[in-house]
Amino acid sequence: MLDKAIRKIVIVGGGTAGWMTAAPLALKLGASCEIVLVESPEIGTVGVGESTLPTIRYYNHALGIDGADFVRRTKATFKLGIDFRDWGHIGNRFFHGFSDFGPSIENRPAFMYWLRLARDNPDMPSYEEWSISTAMAHAIKFVPPHGDQPGPTNAYSYAFQFDAGLYALYLREYATARGVQRIEGTVGDVEQHPETGFITAVKLRDGRRIEGDLFVDCTGFRGLLIEGVYKAGYEDWSAMLPCNSAQAVPSALADQLTPYTRSTAKPAGWQWRIPLQHRNGNGHVYCDAFMSDEEAGRVLLAGVDTEPLEAPRQLRFTTGRRRKSWIKNCVAVGLSSGFLEPLESTSINIIELAVGWLIQYFPDRDCSPELAEEFNRLAAQRYEFVRDFIVLHYKLTNRTDSEFWRYCANMAIPDTLQHQIDLFRTSGRITIYDREGFQADSYASMMLGHGIRPERTDPLIDRMDQARLLDHFHKVHATIRQVVGTMPDHAALVAQITGEPIRKL
Ligand code: FAD
């Protein structure tokens, strides 16, 4: 069997995807396989990607990375979720936290009980008052959740916001210490086997030639191997996710270090603010068919609430996915496999998953087509699940103040997503096709945040003792307030971990 084993892996690209692929492969394969990573000094990385999902913690943990060291080295802050502003209608504000509404009651998500109580109790506090992550976000406090038994005071999860460049460097150090060979150079040509079509080597512009058995394409949007060599094709989802441009600019730190990412809807898209230890990351994502780049730049700077540290950088993208991410002996990971705009910070999560699938379905030198097919099926499914959740944000809008929002309200969406919206509108139920990703609480957060109140509540909850339910809610609410009151400020906790006070640049 070992005579068929992969002896050498060549990773082309040294952005977040390249190093996130190299590190776990080095850990898993050790000295049994040579791993080379080629990165181009001339072609830069995309240079954005600072906000993550909680799964990044599992990725880091699997590598044995020390949490405190990671926070120090990547200038990370903690993230409880996303603060949505002006989505749905101007002046609207709601929080999408990770695992938000507390533990389920009798196998039904907690928000369903809130819906029932709110129906007959006009004075009922907002559903957000039942969410500990929202309470922590509003109070700008953070501690990691404690204990194993889910209760109202630990029913939250968290992710990180970090400097993507520092994270790639951190993983580079990790991977090279475990034997990954780093080569600086630009791939100019690719050699293929005349009969099988497998890639046999990449040739650098300076004449060097790097042979390999398996090639991982981490070259970003260009997809040098997967598209350049194999013409995998691209499924373009711009009709339902029209944003195709972004401008990004770092700015000085604000007075308060918020444990969340902020997303503010704008006339032709939305703007992010991501607080790190040393600066804020800001960006305006928009559709250039509805707003010029000049205007988008003005909107960005008007929405940056601290002093910009450099001129904004322009980015372009097409939302969609590569029709196949694994062809023959080439596997695309990262932007080369597809891109969904960063509204829910999902790209790094898809990299984590793709690397996990590559390890799970690790091939021999013949790269069995069944393994590739399974990888491609998982990738397609994942991109579609995430796509639907992001489309939901736009489709639910009540904004009519610009052509962009009118387009979003009227655009065609997948039937599965329309079914989810209709199910919630009529009966307050949520069905989740994506078992591993965004759960019922996330969908509920988005629907409730956009002001949807179902026509009907759950008939089984209707039959329960309402006074007892109300009493339960008030107790949970009081406990959350009391517990959050005792938590440290987010900035104080970060300073305690890093050993340095948070300083403005
Ligand atoms: P890149 O960073 O583009 O790296 C490509 C690498 O390939 C570089 O090292 C380059 O040198 C190399 N290369 C290219 N051509 C060659 C060649 N010919 N020879 C040798 N090397 C070559 N994701 C999140 O999870 N959260 C976010 O908040 C988030 N925000 C985003 C905001 C915007 C506006 C955009 C566009 C993306 C965002 N993303 C986010 C996505 C995230 O940036 C990417 O998923 C992540 O950075 C991975 O990029 P990459 O490594 O695939 O590509």
Side-chain angles (χ1 to χ4, degrees), residues 54 82 126 150 181 223 226 239 261-262 298 381 386 419 431 442 460:
I82 302 178
S126 147
Q181 194 192 339
I226 199 75
T261 294
R262 190 167 83 189
R298 280 194 290 274
Q381 195 180 54
V386 174
H419 170 63
T431 183
S442 288
L460 295 186

Side-chain angles (χ1 to χ4, degrees), residues 314-330:
Q314 180 77 57
L315 295 139
R316 301 267 183 231
F317 51 83
T318 306
T319 287
R321 71 169 179 89
R322 206 65 72 192
R323 288 190 197 280
K324 285 187 178 167
S325 294
W326 182 339
I327 299 177
K328 297 189 187 281
N329 64 338
C330 168

Side-chain angles (χ1 to χ4, degrees), residues 281-351:
N282 308 274
H284 181 199
V285 177
Y286 60 98
C287 175
D288 66 359
F290 294 95
M291 184 178 276
S292 69
D293 295 337
E294 293 69 34
E295 179 63 9
R298 280 194 290 274
V299 169
L300 169 69
L301 293 176
V304 171
D305 44 18
T306 53
E307 189 195 339
L309 299 173
E310 53 193 59
R313 223 157 43 84
Q314 180 77 57
L315 295 139
R316 301 267 183 231
F317 51 83
T318 306
T319 287
R321 71 169 179 89
R322 206 65 72 192
R323 288 190 197 280
K324 285 187 178 167
S325 294
W326 182 339
I327 299 177
K328 297 189 187 281
N329 64 338
C330 168
V331 183
V333 176
L335 297 173
S336 57
S337 77
F339 180 61
L340 288 158
E341 59 142 288
L343 185 52
E344 284 285 350
S345 329
T346 43
S347 282
I348 290 174
N349 168 262
I350 296 180
I351 296 172

Side-chain angles (χ1 to χ4, degrees), residues 13-17 40 43 45-46 48-49 51 187 218-219 222 335 342 347-348:
T16 314
S40 166
I43 306 170
T45 63
V46 67
V48 277
S51 190
V187 173
C218 296
T219 58
R222 56 181 57 75
L335 297 173
S347 282
I348 290 174

Side-chain angles (χ1 to χ4, degrees), residues 67-83:
D69 190 47
F70 160 81
V71 167
R72 264 191 300 274
R73 295 278 308 277
T74 64
K75 301 277 182 202
T77 58
F78 294 93
K79 174 183 171 188
L80 287 159
I82 302 178
D83 176 28

